[in-house]
Amino acid sequence: MTKSSFIRKYSNRFLSRWLVLVFDSLIVIFSFSIATLLRMNFQLMEIDFSVFASQLIFVLGLRLLAFLYFQSYAGIIRHTSIEDAILILKAVFTGSFGAVLVSAVIRNTLGFEHVFNLSASILIIDFFICLFWMVILRFFVKSFYESFINQFKPTIGVLIYGAGYTGMLTKNVFQTDRSTNYKIFGFIDDNESKIGKTIEGIKVYSLPEVLDKFVGSNDGMEVIMAINNMSAKSKRKISDIFLDRGVVVKALPPVDKWVEGEFAMNQIHNVKIEDLLGREVIQMNNKRIGEEISGKVILVTGAAGSIGSEIVRQLIAYFPAKLVLVDQAESALYDLEYELAGKVPTNVQLIVNVADVSDTRRVSKIFKNHRPDIIFHAAAYKHVPLMENNPYEAIKTNVIGTRILSELAAEVGVEKFVMVSTDKAVNPTNVMGATKRLAEMYTQSMNQLEGVKTKFIATRFGNVLGSNGSVIPLFKKQIERGGPVTVTHPEITRYFMTIPEACELVLEAATMGQGGEVFVFDMGESVKIIDLAKKMITLSGLRVDKDIEIRYTGLRPGEKLYEELLNNDENTLPTHHPKILIAEVNTPSYAYMEVATNDLNHLLSSGTNNSIVAKIKEIIPEYKSNNSVFETLDKKSSK
């Protein structure tokens, strides 16, 4: 700050303070004058103006001393509060009391009967008039200032869901915000004893009343969820009601993020789409998982991917002796290693390997160097349209890579091999899903080999929110760019779960697997992608087809309208965990899978895309291409 700007800043500050003091002095003069007139019944002839002037100067001097002592003039008037009013009360009372005390002392010691013979009734009347005008004018100026400023601030209507303690805190935060003019329409509550009543001047409504009275008639309105212990199901239900009507829904931060029992305005955030698609917190058997993982060597393939990296994060909490990360994505692996720096316990050894799972020599060295006890195999190509155009890479990584890993696991005596599969492996309609089904079949057939101690397990689930290639990040980018948001088909649906939720279930399934199981996760209800797109647009504070257009682009190559978790011939068996089921799958023999994968491997060096995919269809009869160039192969086989 320059010297001139420093002087200007502080001179303006002191100037404004002295102006308030001058203004307060004028109120003192006015108050004493009115008090004297009232005491004399407005009989001007009975007033000795020389005595009046002396008494006025005396009272004004004492009040100025009180104002200076209590700094009652130093507050910013536009921010006047009850605390400021109390400070003024102290200053005015001190001035009045001082006038009585000092005048009595002077009168008894020095005389000056006429000047210091202050009437008690005048001082009492003066006290109340002075106090009233000093306080009321400050609040008047504050109100006028806020009304004037609010004309230039955006106005947003707010409804607060929850009329309890948290709702009161929320109301106070919005009312004290200076950046935006928030108009609180009311509280929403399910408690009938509160409905129809007012709390701190704001009425409490039922949900139907709010929908009828406010929703639709107020553009730009927001609903704030102010109930901390609300279940995920209730939050989803209420949010859906408002989002379907184009109303933005916001939520408070978790209680543990509050500072000294309160939260700041900038902590209130839009409800995330993950919150609406997620379910209640899954109860995991952490003790059992800990016994399975603690002190062992764990290898994670695809460790830098969405699923693999979350598995790594969760595994750290169970203190494995060594955590071996394998991925061919150099940058992503580096980012993960950087993220974990300082978070890994000192008794956990972290090994990072850049490697391709389809490279036998490289993977073999990793196995021999680290001798893993448990493998979580998440490495795979998962992008449906890309793999439809690149079946070579899909086979090489998803099938041959899995074969190499599983055979090495059996060779070195790995305890458990947990393969992360996908719902697209069920009745596959694309190359990616078919290769994942082949990987399932191969690992399951390994359980049939005599002398192999490794327990091969597969876990099968649908889309995970926020994963690489997920529709959620795509929609977010499209909304940020101003649209359009692209949806392939108006009827397309998908199952969703969060990444942490999926990985927790993978770890739980790993503990209960005895070899040969294909675990299927309860994915809840499927979601229409068009509804998902509309909710995300509304959550961004924008209007569907007004601010952001939704455009249908048609199904992509290999894409299904509906995903499935079970084959037509598969049934499920329950487990001790309500969210995990065991699919009863038909597993071919190891001999058959060995020959089939050998044939595929041979085709990689000499075959065409059509011959590769034709071979896959031969191995997996239920594989029927959809919206793909490979549909002609299905027609040929049906003749």
Side-chain angles (χ1 to χ4, degrees):
M1 182 183 293
T2 64
K3 183 177 179 181
S4 60
S5 62
F6 177 87
I7 294 172
R8 185 168 57 253
K9 175 182 176 182
Y10 286 95
S11 62
N12 289 340
R13 181 180 174 187
F14 289 126
L15 179 62
S16 62
R17 283 186 172 193
W18 292 120
L19 283 174
V20 174
L21 187 61
V22 169
F23 187 74
D24 287 346
S25 300
L26 293 174
I27 292 176
V28 171
I29 295 170
F30 170 78
S31 301
F32 190 79
S33 301
I34 295 297
T36 302
L37 285 172
L38 287 171
R39 176 66 181 81
M40 298 300 177
N41 294 318
F42 292 93
Q43 299 295 321
L44 297 177
M45 300 299 295
E46 297 183 10
I47 299 175
D48 186 334
F49 285 97
S50 62
V51 173
F52 167 76
S54 300
Q55 291 178 342
L56 175 60
I57 292 171
F58 172 67
V59 170
L60 176 61
L62 289 174
R63 289 222 188 278
L64 285 174
L65 289 174
F67 294 158
L68 290 169
Y69 177 79
F70 287 102
Q71 296 282 294
S72 60
Y73 61 91
I76 301 174
I77 292 183
R78 65 177 181 272
H79 295 155
T80 299
S81 63
I82 296 298
E83 287 75 14
D84 294 306
I86 293 172
L87 200 65
I88 292 170
L89 171 63
K90 291 178 180 178
V92 173
F93 177 79
T94 301
S96 297
F97 183 76
V100 173
L101 188 64
V102 172
S103 64
V105 171
I106 293 176
R107 191 170 60 247
N108 293 330
T109 56
L110 301 178
F112 302 108
E113 289 289 333
H114 294 293
V115 176
F116 292 100
N117 189 21
L118 288 167
S119 168
S121 57
I122 290 178
L123 289 176
I124 291 172
I125 295 170
D126 168 67
F127 168 80
F128 285 109
I129 293 176
C130 185
L131 178 64
F132 173 80
W133 283 107
M134 284 187 68
V135 172
I136 204 70
L137 285 175
R138 275 170 166 77
F139 279 103
F140 173 78
V141 171
K142 175 186 177 181
S143 178
F144 177 80
Y145 174 83
E146 289 180 347
S147 299
F148 178 76
I149 292 299
N150 285 342
Q151 297 179 48
F152 305 98
K153 293 194 296 186
T155 300
I156 297 177
V158 173
L159 287 163
I160 301 172
Y161 202 105
Y165 173 72
T166 306
M168 295 299 104
L169 285 179
T170 306
K171 176 191 77 73
N172 293 336
V173 168
F174 275 94
Q175 287 183 332
T176 55
D177 183 71
R178 303 295 174 189
S179 61
T180 305
N181 181 28
Y182 288 101
K183 181 179 180 182
I184 301 177
F185 291 129
F187 292 105
I188 311 169
D189 208 284
D190 301 326
N191 189 337
E192 293 185 1
S193 65
K194 294 181 180 180
I195 295 172
K197 297 179 180 178
T198 59
I199 301 176
E200 297 185 3
I202 297 176
K203 189 173 180 180
V204 182
Y205 297 93
S206 66
L207 181 58
E209 285 178 317
V210 162
L211 296 177
D212 181 60
K213 187 178 178 69
F214 298 107
V215 176
S217 59
N218 294 281
D219 289 337
M221 189 172 66
E222 297 178 355
V223 172
I224 314 300
M225 309 286 278
I227 301 177
N228 280 311
N229 58 352
M230 183 179 290
S231 67
K233 183 178 180 181
S234 297
K235 182 183 288 186
R236 215 167 35 243
K237 180 181 177 182
I238 294 164
S239 298
D240 284 347
I241 288 172
F242 288 105
L243 290 173
D244 289 344
R245 291 166 171 78
V247 178
V248 175
V249 181
K250 294 188 174 182
L252 307 185
V255 177
D256 58 1
K257 302 291 185 183
W258 294 13
V259 179
E260 297 180 356
E262 294 190 9
F263 57 90
M265 188 71 195
N266 59 8
Q267 289 182 288
I268 299 174
H269 59 272
N270 285 19
V271 170
K272 298 177 182 177
I273 196 68
E274 291 85 348
D275 297 333
L276 303 182
L277 296 178
R279 291 177 289 283
E280 304 297 333
V281 176
I282 295 176
Q283 299 300 318
M284 309 303 295
N285 190 338
N286 293 328
K287 182 179 179 181
R288 187 171 177 179
I289 296 173
E291 291 172 352
E292 189 82 20
I293 301 300
S294 180
K296 294 183 178 178
V297 178
I298 313 296
L299 186 146
V300 181
T301 71
S306 306
I307 297 296
S309 61
E310 181 60 27
I311 289 176
V312 169
R313 294 183 191 98
Q314 294 189 19
L315 284 171
I316 289 171
Y318 298 105
F319 301 102
K322 187 187 292 185
L323 199 49
V324 183
L325 314 187
V326 176
D327 205 299
Q328 65 175 334
E330 174 195 21
S331 297
L333 198 57
Y334 170 79
D335 291 341
L336 179 61
E337 182 181 24
Y338 182 80
E339 175 198 327
L340 297 177
K343 296 180 181 179
V344 180
T346 54
N347 59 340
V348 177
Q349 187 179 1
L350 187 68
I351 308 295
V352 179
N353 288 289
V354 178
D356 183 346
V357 294
S358 63
D359 184 338
T360 306
R361 186 184 303 171
R362 174 69 172 135
V363 176
S364 179
K365 283 185 179 181
I366 293 172
F367 271 66
K368 288 177 181 178
N369 288 338
H370 302 294
R371 312 291 296 187
D373 297 305
I374 300 174
I375 296 174
F376 290 93
H377 176 39
Y381 282 124
K382 305 182 184 75
H383 197 283
V384 171
L386 275 178
M387 292 306 101
E388 205 68 11
N389 295 325
N390 298 276
Y392 176 97
E393 292 296 336
I395 290 290
K396 178 173 171 283
T397 298
N398 296 0
V399 181
I400 305 304
T402 300
R403 172 178 170 170
I404 292 168
L405 287 165
S406 57
E407 288 179 345
L408 285 170
E411 182 182 320
V412 302
V414 170
E415 294 175 16
K416 288 186 178 180
F417 183 101
V418 183
M419 178 194 161
V420 176
S421 189
T422 171
D423 58 356
K424 293 174 179 62
V426 180
N427 295 323
T429 59
N430 52 68
V431 169
M432 191 282 284
T435 57
K436 292 296 284 184
R437 176 59 188 142
L438 279 172
E440 281 185 3
M441 293 163 65
Y442 192 89
T443 55
Q444 295 304 297
S445 71
M446 291 286 293
N447 288 292
Q448 301 170 6
L449 291 176
E450 292 185 10
V452 174
K453 297 180 180 179
T454 305
K455 299 172 182 177
F456 291 90
I457 304 156
T459 59
R460 187 189 287 172
F461 52 89
N463 298 274
V464 286
L465 297 169
S467 65
N468 296 330
S470 168
V471 71
I472 306 294
L474 173 63
F475 284 174
K476 286 181 179 177
K477 289 177 182 177
Q478 290 177 335
I479 292 169
E480 288 171 0
R481 290 200 302 259
V485 169
T486 56
V487 178
T488 58
H489 193 282
E491 298 300 321
I492 193 168
T493 64
R494 289 294 181 265
Y495 291 99
F496 287 98
M497 63 168 44
T498 64
I499 295 175
E501 180 183 27
C503 295
E504 285 172 357
L505 290 173
V506 169
L507 296 186
E508 182 80 14
T511 65
M512 67 174 72
Q514 296 303 311
E517 301 96 342
V518 174
F519 289 105
V520 179
F521 298 165
D522 176 8
M523 297 291 293
E525 298 179 0
S526 62
V527 177
K528 290 187 76 170
I529 300 301
I530 182 62
D531 293 339
L532 182 68
K534 290 178 178 178
K535 284 185 174 67
M536 288 187 66
I537 293 170
T538 304
L539 285 171
S540 301
L542 302 168
R543 296 167 297 176
V544 177
D545 291 332
K546 291 183 179 179
D547 300 315
I548 300 288
E549 175 194 359
I550 294 179
R551 186 177 298 169
Y552 296 110
T553 57
L555 289 175
R556 298 175 300 173
E559 192 170 38
K560 288 182 180 181
L561 270 180
Y562 314 102
E563 298 290 9
E564 306 160 276
L565 292 172
L566 292 171
N567 190 299
N568 296 333
D569 298 326
E570 294 176 352
N571 294 310
T572 59
L573 297 172
T575 69
H576 69 266
H577 197 290
K579 297 290 184 182
I580 303 176
L581 304 173
I582 299 175
E584 292 184 305
V585 299
N586 296 319
T587 303
S589 67
Y590 173 76
Y592 175 78
M593 289 308 302
E594 184 179 32
V595 171
T597 52
N598 282 338
D599 289 346
L600 275 173
N601 201 17
H602 176 72
L603 284 170
L604 292 184
S605 60
S606 60
T608 62
N609 283 350
N610 274 4
S611 62
I612 292 173
V613 174
K615 185 61 182 179
I616 300 174
K617 290 178 180 292
E618 180 185 321
I619 304 169
I620 310 174
E622 66 270 23
Y623 168 27
K624 305 295 181 185
S625 297
N626 184 46
N627 194 37
S628 168
V629 294
F630 301 122
E631 286 182 73
T632 55
L633 299 176
D634 296 321
K635 295 174 183 177
K636 289 178 182 178
S637 62
S638 63
K639 290 182 180 180

